[in-house]
Amino acid sequence: MNPQPFNTAGLTKLAPNEPRDHHYVPQFFLRNFAVDQEKTRITTVGKHGPMAIWSERSIESLGYERDFYVHMRHGIPESVETEINRRIETPISQSDTWAKITSGRTDALDRSDRAILYALIRHLEARTPHYEATMSELARMASDPTSEMPFGDDERAAYGEMRANPNLAKKMLKMAATTAWAERNFKGALMMVLRSPITLRSSTTPVLAMPAPAHPAMALPLPGMIPYQLVLTLNPATIACLLLGDFDGAFSNREIDVPTAMGFNRHFVGQFAKFDYVRHLITPADDIAVDMTWAPYDLVESSQRKIVFRRRA
């Protein structure tokens, strides 16, 4: 991969023709899970207060917020939406790697695809409301002297600045217009492509931080962190797992068994149930009632077109 398209961040002042509905989940990504020939619709479980409803929905209507990528600079609103599309989404979606994924040839993904997969995971990790909320929660924890997470003085100072300036958390989203912030970890990271015998789930927070077995090569940048991997469902049959650390750029592509795939699916359901900012679980109807009642939701009604759940008190 030529890193240049991913290195140059930019800001675009709001103009009359500037997009206002900012999709924090790219539509080119969601189309991998489409259920119609035109690739405009997917099936999801969506939150509606205490209710969760599985149904078919328009891709265009999912994974966006009004002016999400807008922050204030010297009192003037600026947006990175256009730069994200031009510098990140377009190069990735037009790459040979993405062609393999969209055509179902993920068994052909190899070390030459590692850079695009890495850029995709780190980019989708950093551009969602969940990521923004996590940064705000870390800032709150850093101000709490009884917090179990042992922040250093520099970290407390940085998060203190974020608490004092509410616009700063929004401003930090401009890093979604570049992957330069993540490049220093690329060389050593471990990338695993896992191909599943069953349909895999995803969500509108597509990159899931999931526990991983401890390994001395892992990078754990925040104090008190447990070993983790970043997981992204590439298409309904394939997951990519990224482990940051000193793994000498290792890459693997292999099949997984049904219990392992079911474990990944359960984690996406658990993420949907736990976090308010995970608004849609991308999934077919298969076994969804079983996993949602584990989540914990109660089944209210079920038909071929709609399944309704109510969260337990």
Side-chain angles (χ1 to χ4, degrees), residues 88-301:
I88 301 290
E89 292 186 13
T90 297
I92 289 178
S93 65
Q94 294 182 355
S95 67
D96 291 340
T97 301
W98 194 248
K100 293 179 186 179
I101 294 168
T102 57
S103 64
R105 296 182 294 115
T106 53
D107 59 327
L109 292 170
D110 56 29
R111 184 178 291 275
S112 69
D113 301 297
R114 185 173 164 271
I116 289 288
L117 292 173
Y118 179 84
L120 180 67
I121 292 173
R122 300 311 303 274
H123 173 64
L124 293 181
E125 172 198 13
R127 65 179 287 178
T128 65
H130 182 69
Y131 190 89
E132 182 186 15
T134 299
M135 296 298 292
S136 297
E137 177 64 12
L138 286 169
R140 184 198 64 77
M141 293 173 65
S143 69
D144 182 359
T146 65
S147 172
E148 295 182 2
M149 188 173 287
F151 293 93
D153 292 339
D154 290 344
E155 290 166 325
R156 291 187 187 277
Y159 285 123
E161 184 178 351
M162 185 181 297
R163 291 193 306 275
N165 181 4
N167 183 57
L168 187 57
K170 275 285 187 187
K171 188 175 181 179
M172 289 180 66
L173 284 173
K174 72 179 183 181
M175 71 184 184
T178 175
T179 54
W181 61 276
E183 283 183 358
R184 63 187 178 89
N185 293 316
F186 170 67
K187 185 176 180 181
L190 164 63
M191 180 72 67
M192 297 183 295
V193 174
L194 307 177
R195 292 175 280 115
S196 170
I198 63 173
T199 301
L200 296 165
R201 297 184 177 124
S202 185
S203 80
T204 48
T205 299
V207 175
L208 169 64
M210 180 175 163
H215 191 285
M218 282 184 171
L220 300 175
L222 292 173
M225 289 186 72
I226 63 172
Y228 74 98
Q229 57 188 323
L230 296 174
V231 175
L232 173 67
T233 309
L234 298 173
N235 65 26
T238 315
I239 273 181
C241 299
L242 175 66
L243 283 82
L244 302 178
D246 188 17
F247 294 97
D248 198 27
F251 180 93
S252 66
N253 185 338
R254 62 182 176 87
E255 295 180 351
I256 56 175
D257 58 21
V258 171
T260 301
M262 291 176 65
F264 281 112
N265 278 347
R266 274 280 175 101
H267 271 85
F268 274 101
V269 175
Q271 181 199 47
F272 172 82
K274 181 177 176 62
F275 297 110
D276 291 341
Y277 284 98
V278 183
R279 294 161 187 168
H280 285 269
L281 176 68
I282 301 169
T283 178
D286 304 348
D287 298 322
I288 190 58
V290 173
D291 282 356
M292 286 295 289
T293 52
W294 162 84
Y297 284 80
D298 291 320
L299 178 64
V300 175
E301 64 176 271

Side-chain angles (χ1 to χ4, degrees), residues 24-36:
Y24 53 84
V25 186
Q27 294 181 67
F28 83 85
F29 171 79
L30 292 176
R31 282 193 284 271
N32 274 357
F33 303 90
V35 295
D36 63 323

